[in-house]
Amino acid sequence: QVQPVESGGGLVQPGGSLRLSCALSGSSFSVMGWYRQAPGKQRELVARIGSGGDTYYVDSVKGRFTISRNNAKNTVYLQMSSLKPEDTAVYHCNRIYNQASWGQGTQVTVSS
């Protein structure tokens, strides 16, 4: 079964940056999203990108996160800057519609 493969997470200090990548076969014409799940909380959508590049961001990440995609590579990216401790979570990507099985995600920890 096809699953997203996320990478790029890690430990970073507050104010730092990370770039996440997500590869999902057959996703080049799909609306794609980055989600995150912090311990004890529900998974939330943080950014979305359409096949044509239109984007949406949840208010808490606007101006700090940038979602982009390379349709030729079936890959979606999330550039995260000015990271805060509250951004700590496991980050997942998936289609917005007709979702694939969830992958393992990539852990982002923001701590000094």
Side-chain angles (χ1 to χ4, degrees):
Q1 199 168 19
V2 175
Q3 288 182 322
V5 178
E6 301 96 344
S7 61
L11 172 64
V12 63
Q13 292 186 342
S17 299
L18 284 173
R19 188 192 193 211
L20 308 184
S21 298
C22 168
L24 175 59
S25 179
S27 65
S28 55
F29 296 106
S30 301
V31 181
M32 294 294 296
W34 278 99
Y35 301 77
R36 67 185 179 189
Q37 187 166 20
K41 294 188 177 181
Q42 289 189 331
R43 185 182 296 135
E44 66 167 339
L45 175 68
V46 296
R48 181 182 71 211
I49 186 166
S51 58
D54 52 304
T55 58
Y56 158 84
Y57 300 93
V58 68
D59 285 347
S60 59
V61 308
K62 279 183 182 176
R64 300 189 298 121
F65 290 11
T66 302
I67 189 171
S68 61
R69 65 191 301 163
N70 183 327
N71 290 337
K73 295 184 177 180
N74 288 316
T75 301
V76 180
Y77 306 96
L78 188 67
Q79 177 69 47
M80 306 186 296
S81 302
S82 302
L83 283 161
K84 303 176 181 180
E86 51 264 44
D87 295 318
T88 295
V90 178
Y91 284 71
H92 297 265
C93 76
N94 211 327
R95 296 188 188 94
I96 297 295
Y97 311 108
N98 300 316
Q99 289 181 332
S101 297
W102 292 93
Q104 291 191 333
T106 186
Q107 175 71 48
V108 172
T109 303
V110 185
S111 175
S112 55

